[in-house]
Amino acid sequence: MPATERAIELLTAAAEAAHDKKAENVLAFDVSEQLAITDAFLVASASNDRQVRAIVDAIEEKLRVDFDAKPVRREGAREGRWVLLDYLEIVVHVQHDEERNFYSLERLWRDCPIIPLPGADGTIAVPVIADRTADEDPAPSPSSAE
């Protein structure tokens, strides 16, 4: 069963709040077929710890005001490197760029459908997630085989 309508509404609002604070690479995945504990993940990143915390605060405020939703769990806020907000229907991951590159959640969940979200400019585009396995284990080039 795909993500619920409420999960999509929460994701959209969270993405808008994240974009308002200049979040980068905001993506949503429908993980409802793989996980019984939530419907979707939202992943966003920022270039510094302060911005990570600002994005998290904006998401929490937007969901509280517009949906009367409060996270049942909030982890990592003190460090500001990877903050997790668990709203049951959705789980929000806001990561520092370095953690985003290292843990590559989009690679881990690449088999899950991507949920289209409004971008920073308000338009909806479906991002393409590249299969990074080719980048990680490149085949030898013909010139290096000689």
Side-chain angles (χ1 to χ4, degrees):
M1 179 164 52
T4 64
E5 187 175 320
R6 173 153 170 95
I8 303 295
E9 290 173 351
L10 291 171
L11 286 171
T12 302
E16 290 170 355
H19 284 302
D20 287 347
K21 293 298 179 181
K22 310 296 185 221
E24 301 167 356
N25 302 319
V26 180
L27 297 173
F29 297 93
D30 183 335
V31 296
S32 60
E33 296 292 323
Q34 283 73 22
L35 296 175
I37 59 172
T38 192
D39 284 348
F41 282 168
L42 180 77
V43 183
S45 55
S47 59
N48 62 66
D49 303 354
R50 180 177 286 171
Q51 188 179 10
V52 167
R53 287 190 290 272
I55 293 166
V56 167
D57 290 345
I59 290 170
E60 282 188 298
E61 181 177 348
K62 175 90 172 160
L63 297 184
R64 183 181 45 78
V65 169
D66 292 358
F67 296 93
D68 195 32
K70 295 178 185 169
V72 295
R73 190 173 68 195
R74 183 182 206 243
E75 295 183 12
R78 184 175 301 146
E79 298 83 16
R81 302 291 294 181
W82 180 350
V83 180
L84 179 141
L85 300 172
D86 184 350
Y87 286 92
L88 298 180
E89 295 101 339
I90 68 169
V91 175
V92 177
H93 299 269
V94 182
Q95 299 175 301
H96 190 285
D97 288 337
E98 292 170 2
E99 275 69 14
R100 178 88 180 253
N101 290 332
F102 183 79
Y103 291 102
S104 190
L105 292 179
E106 53 268 35
R107 193 178 109 231
L108 291 173
W109 298 103
R110 70 176 170 241
D111 293 336
C112 297
I114 294 175
I115 299 171
L117 295 171
D121 60 359
T123 61
I124 296 177
V126 178
V128 176
I129 305 298
D131 184 3
R132 292 183 42 179
T133 56
D135 295 338
E136 295 166 356
D137 189 21
S141 66
S143 61
S144 65
E146 296 173 5

